[in-house]
Amino acid sequence: MKHSNRVLFIAGLLFVSVALARIEVSPKLRSEGSGQDLAGIEKLHQQDVAATLAGDPKALANLWTEDAVRLEPGPAEIGRALIHTHDEEQKKEHPEVKILTYAPEIKDVKVVDGWAFEWGYFNSSYRDSVAGPAKSFRGKLLRVLQKQRDGSWRFSRVMWNLAE
């Protein structure tokens, strides 16, 4: 597998995204929303980190809305079921891949009428195999979150690409 394809696969797992890592929020973070909404969004961020580090496609799928859209390098993935299926396939095709770190840096969050809009960066490292060297990359992201009836938040639209 080419290095660029491996990076795309690993980055896809990241959204597919607390015990081992915490979200690093920039001191310049701007946020607009109630304290309760921002706490719920932070909880989603923590669940994303934990599920990503665990490499758990089912836990990652639970972070998406039913009609979610994931826009990453490659074809768009539309619907939680397709995102989950793709993550499961990637895990089966690359069982030795291990995500070592995943640290989002959310720079701005705005909450409007049950929707949240955020952008930022993330740093990640991974191994292709148990004995393989650690590799790292940095990405930039734009995410739309939707508040659920129970007050929790889920990813509705996620777009990312490699940062230069």
Side-chain angles (χ1 to χ4, degrees):
M1 176 190 290
K2 290 197 235 173
H3 175 69
S4 62
N5 287 342
R6 275 185 246 127
V7 168
L8 296 178
F9 163 67
I10 297 304
L13 284 178
L14 293 177
F15 290 104
V16 243
S17 320
V18 183
L20 300 175
R22 293 282 305 162
I23 292 177
E24 298 175 13
V25 178
S26 165
K28 297 180 183 179
L29 171 69
R30 294 182 307 152
S31 60
E32 297 176 12
S34 74
Q36 186 175 11
D37 283 338
L38 295 175
I41 291 167
E42 175 63 18
K43 182 176 180 181
L44 175 61
H45 291 163
Q46 292 171 359
Q47 292 169 330
D48 176 43
V49 170
T52 298
L53 291 173
D56 183 347
K58 184 177 180 182
L60 288 163
N62 289 333
L63 303 178
W64 295 91
T65 62
E66 286 295 327
D67 66 342
V69 177
R70 182 166 63 185
L71 301 171
E72 56 187 19
E77 296 168 311
I78 302 169
R80 177 169 54 191
L82 179 61
I83 292 168
H84 180 243
T85 297
H86 182 254
D87 291 347
E88 286 283 355
E89 289 170 354
Q90 291 299 312
K91 187 172 178 91
K92 286 177 186 171
E93 289 176 23
H94 310 282
E96 291 189 8
V97 169
K98 172 70 175 153
I99 297 177
L100 304 172
T101 62
Y102 170 50
E105 301 169 11
I106 305 303
K107 299 293 185 181
D108 185 33
V109 179
K110 291 189 177 15
V111 180
V112 180
D113 295 330
W115 294 90
F117 310 90
E118 61 185 21
W119 74 271
Y121 299 92
F122 64 91
N123 294 302
S124 183
S125 64
Y126 66 97
R127 290 188 197 278
D128 287 328
S129 64
V130 175
K135 300 174 184 177
S136 62
F137 67 97
R138 182 169 174 80
K140 49 191 172 184
L141 58 85
L142 178 64
R143 301 191 290 202
V144 177
L145 291 60
Q146 185 178 28
K147 190 172 186 176
Q148 304 300 291
R149 289 179 189 222
D150 66 0
S152 67
W153 289 84
R154 298 288 174 254
F155 295 119
S156 178
R157 307 291 187 265
V158 172
M159 180 172 54
W160 73 269
N161 59 21
L162 295 175
E164 295 180 21

